[in-house]
């Protein structure tokens, strides 16, 4: 397999010169490198990363993703996201396995690139993904109980960053095969919820029709638009939330007006923005505004609308962590309900009313998924790029498509 890091490393270094690291990261890493003390004790790692074994760039990217975890932990908001509660596990694996380290720092670079709109960091993420694929392809040929979680963790992180459907679908096939391979020791896996949750396929679902007052008989997209408009009125004055909801509303409206055809590739392209939203928007909102009512209502609508959209576009395959999104919606609803009893902040009644649509979508999805992770309905046209790929074949195919930038 070609190593993109080898051919792209020099150009990435040149582009990085165009990027100025945030002072918080630079000073934090300087202190970590000089003191050798891992600056994130909340992770309770027995063997934290050693800065002497990492490049300064890797230390800075590690610092960035760990700082996300710290801020959400301090705000008690990790339950409102789909992945940050697992970050200590990813960090632990990254200290032991090179492919997890490279997958993690590339994930961090991907987020930082989105945050500061940096093409240089996009390139850095690409280079580290190449390094992750290279070392992962060597590891999957010798899969054991000892390295299975590490292989799974790296595959999960890489799937969050895949630039196109073919790379993503190949990784999903690899995770599916890995799930079968891990069966004898799956109960000991630290990623059991990921093994189950990402294997749901929306398949044939009972048609959704809302029963909420004001939403009667509205379908998925129509109901989403109506609820998003109401949510935008509620968060008026909060720039980040208004911007996010407007972006989501425009996305749904465009999808309603001009839906993609039944081809998996076309539907994946249409769904492509949802992955970044599901992974990163909760982190962005919670970092900025913590647990405000407006933030919680906004997040619940993002999770609900992304579930609704995927019900409309099932062809690409597994829904994207639906159970975790359902759990997040229910956690947000429980938090708002608790506030209504204990603190009764301004706007609580309106927030409670607005949460009815996300909760209805979550209940609709949950009620129609087999919790064993089996496919609902039978498809004669599997969405995977090839059937019965082994884990090494899946990783190799994902790496080639990632390197080619194939959608």
């Amino acid at each position: 397999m070609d190593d993109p890091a080898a051919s792209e490393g020099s150009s990435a270094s040149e582009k990085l010169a165009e990027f100025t690291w945030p002072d918080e990261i630079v000073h934090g890493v300087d202190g970590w490198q000089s003191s050798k003390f891992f600056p994130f004790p909340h992770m309770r790692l027995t063997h934290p990363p050693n800065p002497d074994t990492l490049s300064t760039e890797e230390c800075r990217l590690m610092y960035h993703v760990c700082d996300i975890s710290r801020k959400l932990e301090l705000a008690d908001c990790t339950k409102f996201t789909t992945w940050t509660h697992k970050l200590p596990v990813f960090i632990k694996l990254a200290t032991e396995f090179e492919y997890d380290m490279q997958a993690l720092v590339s994930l961090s670079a991907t987020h930082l690139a989105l945050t500061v709109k940096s093409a240089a960091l996009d390139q850095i993420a690409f280079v580290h993904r190449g390094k992750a694929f290279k070392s992962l392809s060597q590891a999957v040929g010798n899969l054991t109980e000892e390295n299975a979680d590490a292989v799974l963790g790296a595959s999960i992180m890489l799937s969050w960053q895949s630039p196109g459907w073919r790379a993503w679908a190949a990784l999903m096939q690899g995770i599916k095969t890995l799930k079968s391979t891990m069966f004898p020791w799956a109960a000991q896996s630290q990623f059991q919820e990921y093994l189950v949750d990402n294997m749901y396929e929306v398949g044939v679902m009972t048609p959704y029709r809302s029963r909420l007052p004001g939403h009667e008989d509205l379908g998925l997209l129509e109901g989403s638009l109506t609820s998003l408009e109401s949510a935008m009125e509620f968060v008026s004055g909060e720039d980040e939330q208004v911007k996010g909801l407007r972006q989501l509303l425009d996305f749904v409206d465009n999808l309603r007006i001009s839906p993609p055809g039944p081809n998996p590739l076309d539907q994946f392209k249409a769904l492509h923005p949802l992955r970044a939203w599901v992974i990163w928007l909760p982190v962005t909102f919670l970092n900025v505004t913590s647990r405000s009512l407006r933030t919680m209502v906004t997040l619940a609508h993002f999770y609900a609308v992304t579930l609704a959209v995927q019900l409309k576009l099932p062809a690409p395959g597994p829904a994207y962590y639906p159970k975790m999104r359902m759990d997040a919606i229910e956690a947000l609803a429980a938090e708002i309900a608790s506030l209504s009893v204990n603190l009764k902040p301004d706007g609580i009644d309106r927030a409670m009313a607005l949460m009815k649509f996300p909760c209805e979508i979550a209940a609709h999805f949950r009620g129609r998924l087999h919790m064993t992770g089996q496919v609902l309905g039978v498809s004669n046209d599997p969405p995977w790029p090839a059937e019965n790929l082994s884990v090494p074949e899946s990783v190799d195919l994902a790496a080639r498509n990632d390197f080619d930038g194939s959608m």
Side-chain angles (χ1 to χ4, degrees):
M1 181 178 65
D2 292 334
D3 178 11
S7 59
E8 299 289 339
S10 59
S11 61
S13 299
E14 292 168 3
K15 287 188 177 183
L16 189 60
E18 304 168 10
F19 170 69
T20 302
W21 289 92
D23 289 342
E24 179 185 7
I25 293 178
V26 172
H27 296 153
V29 169
D30 286 347
W32 179 23
Q33 289 176 320
S34 61
S35 69
K36 314 302 181 191
F37 177 76
F38 187 57
F40 301 99
H42 76 279
M43 291 188 172
R44 301 178 182 87
L45 297 176
T46 305
H47 302 290
N50 180 355
D52 292 340
T53 65
L54 304 173
S55 69
T56 296
E57 177 184 290
E58 289 168 339
C59 284
R60 289 174 176 177
L61 292 170
M62 176 74 73
Y63 186 98
H64 173 66
V65 75
C66 289
D67 196 44
I68 290 172
S69 171
R70 179 183 64 82
K71 290 173 180 176
L72 295 183
E73 186 80 17
L74 288 173
D76 192 24
C77 289
T78 55
K79 61 190 173 188
F80 301 148
T81 77
T82 59
W83 66 279
T84 56
H85 65 291
K86 282 294 184 183
L87 193 52
V89 179
F90 288 127
I91 298 288
K92 177 180 180 295
L93 292 171
T95 64
E96 301 172 16
F97 300 92
E98 176 65 11
Y99 41 91
D100 284 282
M101 176 61 72
Q102 296 303 321
L104 182 64
V105 296
S106 64
L107 182 68
S108 178
T110 298
H111 176 248
L112 200 53
L114 287 170
T115 303
V116 301
K117 304 295 188 292
S118 169
L121 281 167
D122 280 332
Q123 187 66 28
I124 292 301
F126 172 75
V127 169
H128 285 291
R129 280 202 311 275
K131 292 178 179 179
F133 275 121
K134 182 178 180 181
S135 54
L136 183 61
S137 66
Q138 296 166 353
V140 294
N142 185 30
L143 192 66
T144 66
E145 182 174 358
E146 286 67 35
N147 71 357
D149 258 6
V151 169
L152 178 58
S155 300
I156 289 169
M157 287 188 282
L158 288 168
S159 76
W160 294 342
Q161 309 167 58
S162 298
W165 177 70
R166 291 184 178 88
W168 173 83
L171 282 165
M172 290 298 98
Q173 178 64 72
I175 291 172
K176 189 175 183 179
T177 304
L178 186 59
K179 178 183 177 181
S180 299
T181 305
M182 290 177 64
F183 181 78
W185 59 83
Q188 285 73 52
S189 173
Q190 299 173 89
F191 298 111
Q192 288 187 61
E193 66 268 49
Y194 290 94
L195 279 173
V196 173
D197 201 8
N198 216 27
M199 289 298 106
Y200 292 129
E201 298 195 31
V202 294
V204 180
M205 302 285 285
T206 302
Y208 163 88
R209 290 290 169 184
S210 180
R211 298 180 181 178
L212 296 177
H215 286 229
E216 292 90 345
D217 291 329
L218 291 180
L220 287 165
L221 299 187
E222 294 80 6
S224 297
L225 290 170
T226 299
S227 196
L228 284 170
E229 289 169 354
S230 299
M232 284 183 64
E233 292 177 10
F234 179 68
V235 304
S236 177
E238 300 285 348
D239 291 345
E240 285 294 324
Q241 287 88 334
V242 169
K243 178 182 175 183
L245 289 172
R246 167 54 64 186
Q247 190 176 23
L248 187 57
L249 190 150
D250 289 344
F251 173 83
V252 175
D253 200 29
N254 289 336
L255 194 63
R256 180 182 62 83
I257 294 169
S258 182
N263 183 277
L265 177 57
D266 292 338
Q267 290 197 11
F268 182 89
K269 288 179 179 178
L271 290 169
H272 195 56
L274 298 187
R275 179 178 55 181
W277 289 344
V278 169
I279 294 295
W280 296 120
L281 271 180
V283 170
T284 300
F285 287 147
L286 292 168
N287 269 343
V288 171
T289 58
S290 188
R291 302 160 71 97
S292 75
L293 280 178
R294 289 175 173 81
T295 293
M296 289 191 284
V297 167
T298 298
L299 285 183
H301 277 76
F302 264 94
Y303 287 133
V305 172
T306 56
L307 283 173
V309 168
Q310 285 191 286
L311 285 170
K312 294 290 289 185
L313 303 177
Y320 201 71
Y321 300 120
K323 186 177 182 298
M324 293 185 196
R325 280 181 278 167
M326 291 184 276
D327 290 345
I329 289 170
E330 290 162 1
L332 289 160
E335 182 73 15
I336 291 174
S338 175
L339 290 173
S340 73
V341 172
N342 299 318
L343 297 177
K344 300 185 184 301
D346 290 342
I348 187 64
D349 291 339
R350 185 63 178 142
M352 292 280 288
L354 286 168
M355 287 298 295
K356 290 180 180 179
F357 171 75
C359 288
E360 185 183 55
I361 291 291
H364 175 77
F365 211 124
R366 189 183 294 281
R368 286 156 178 79
L369 285 176
H370 288 310
M371 289 300 129
T372 58
Q374 300 302 308
V375 178
L376 292 175
V378 178
S379 171
N380 293 321
D381 299 302
W384 308 110
E387 280 292 277
N388 301 317
L389 290 178
S390 67
V391 179
E393 289 170 335
S394 298
V395 170
D396 184 64
L397 181 59
R400 284 188 279 111
N401 280 288
D402 187 284
F403 182 47
D404 292 341
S406 301
M407 180 59 85

